[in-house]
Amino acid sequence: MKTLIMKFGGAAVATPQHFSRIADIILHRKKHYQRIVVVVSAMGETTNQLIALANEVNASPPRREYDMLVSVGERISISLLAMALAAKNQHAVSFTGSQSGIITCQNHSNARIIEVKPHRLIPILDSGSVVIVAGFQGVSRQGEITTLGRGGSDTSAVALGIALKAEKVEFFKDVLGICMDDPKIVPESPLLPHLSYDEALKIIRQGAKVLQARSVELASKNKILLHVLSFQNDLQTTQSGTLIGNIDVAREEIPIYEE
Ligand code: ASP
Ligand code: MG
């Protein structure tokens, strides 16, 4: 069965109105893929606001409590997206990182993914429903809620793609793809249609905030294909975006996670 992971970042879910737009993009993909898992980030500036809130109470909050607070942002997004899909007659079920079986180390606020056990997601996917997962978070073997570091939803999406043997992971951004220079600063900068993992990592390490570096490292180890494209484009036009990885290279059979 063909599986697709779609990841929407904070800009794609900035306002309540954005959820309906995203739901349309998901419904469009549902015609071509039997199983769809959507990973979402917190709305707009929500994570920054939650961190500021924590700092108002304690300049150096206990890291367990920090994770308990900041993981809430993604939980708002998953439930709203499931509601937006329901409004369009597509059944969808939202899950936290913990419920999705994203197991991490104990390093609060910068945890690494040890393994993914998506048992609960599979029957929902096989019934034709869309699964929506809160990015940026997991659970330690001790049962504590952890977060993956800023921008960590990208890594959640790749880890789920590996666990569910997805055809690829699509990242919906407010830019057309990865460009030679930051398109928000140099608008005419040419789009790069295809990059190797190493080329993408080089661009990210030079400061481009297009994907969390860890997500590309994880994809590279498992050879899963990534696709960066715009959520603002017309759905009917074939979007090129930027492909990262190689379509012809065989995937790793046994998942390799972060540690
Ligand atoms: N919401 C989290 C952050 O802003 C995670 C993410 O966006 O990927 O860092
Ligand atoms: Mg965010």
Side-chain angles (χ1 to χ4, degrees):
M1 277 218 252
K2 280 217 305 179
T3 306
L4 176 69
I5 313 289
M6 305 173 76
K7 189 261 168 177
F8 294 91
V13 289
T15 69
Q17 292 69 36
H18 278 74
F19 288 93
S20 168
R21 161 103 191 122
I22 285 182
D24 288 337
I25 302 179
I26 296 165
L27 291 177
H28 189 261
R29 285 292 189 270
K30 193 77 179 75
K31 294 183 198 143
H32 305 283
Y33 289 88
Q34 290 100 326
R35 294 162 143 204
I36 292 199
V37 176
V38 185
V39 175
V40 268
S41 295
M43 293 172 71
E45 290 302 307
T46 302
T47 306
N48 290 338
Q49 287 159 359
L50 290 170
I51 294 170
L53 184 63
N55 290 334
E56 273 186 57
V57 175
N58 183 333
S60 160
R63 287 163 71 208
R64 177 189 184 278
E65 306 310 329
Y66 169 97
D67 278 353
M68 202 61 117
L69 179 68
V70 298
S71 58
V72 168
E74 274 66 16
R75 198 153 157 172
I76 296 172
S77 298
I78 54 170
S79 48
L80 289 175
L81 184 55
M83 292 176 199
L85 282 160
K88 293 179 193 278
N89 298 317
Q90 171 62 57
H91 189 251
V93 186
S94 66
F95 292 95
T96 65
S98 163
Q99 290 176 315
S100 312
I102 298 181
I103 316 292
T104 73
C105 69
Q106 293 185 71
N107 188 16
H108 282 291
S109 79
N110 199 22
R112 293 174 71 83
I113 298 174
I114 301 170
E115 76 179 302
V116 181
K117 294 181 173 178
H119 310 306
R120 287 194 64 186
L121 312 187
I122 291 164
I124 312 276
L125 289 169
D126 289 346
S127 74
S129 296
V130 170
V131 163
I132 304 170
V133 175
F136 177 55
Q137 54 181 268
V139 65
S140 68
R141 291 210 196 278
Q142 291 71 27
E144 299 289 358
I145 302 299
T146 54
T147 63
L148 309 178
R150 297 306 307 268
S153 302
D154 293 336
T155 303
S156 311
V158 173
L160 284 163
I162 294 163
L164 295 166
K165 302 203 181 310
E167 188 179 291
K168 63 175 173 171
V169 184
E170 291 184 329
F171 295 88
F172 290 87
K173 316 277 308 177
D174 54 358
V175 289
L176 289 174
I178 303 180
C179 298
M180 205 92 84
D181 316 276
D182 184 344
K184 288 178 188 157
I185 300 165
V186 188
E188 66 283 2
S189 179
L191 182 77
L192 300 166
H194 189 207
L195 293 171
S196 66
Y197 299 110
D198 286 344
E199 286 165 340
L201 277 170
K202 196 170 162 217
I203 293 172
I204 293 165
R205 290 193 181 122
Q206 280 164 356
K209 291 216 165 55
V210 61
L211 292 175
Q212 195 192 39
R214 276 169 59 186
S215 68
V216 181
E217 287 161 1
L218 186 58
S220 169
K221 280 199 270 186
N222 293 275
K223 303 193 184 62
I224 184 170
L225 199 61
L226 310 181
H227 197 179
V228 180
L229 59 178
S230 168
F231 66 84
Q232 287 154 328
N233 259 10
D234 178 4
L235 291 176
Q236 304 315 321
T237 57
T238 357
Q239 282 199 56
S240 47
T242 301
L243 271 176
I244 305 172
N246 201 325
I247 311 164
D248 307 322
V249 169
R251 292 269 291 280
E252 283 299 332
E253 270 305 309
I254 298 170
I256 312 167
Y257 295 104
E258 291 191 285
E259 46 184 60

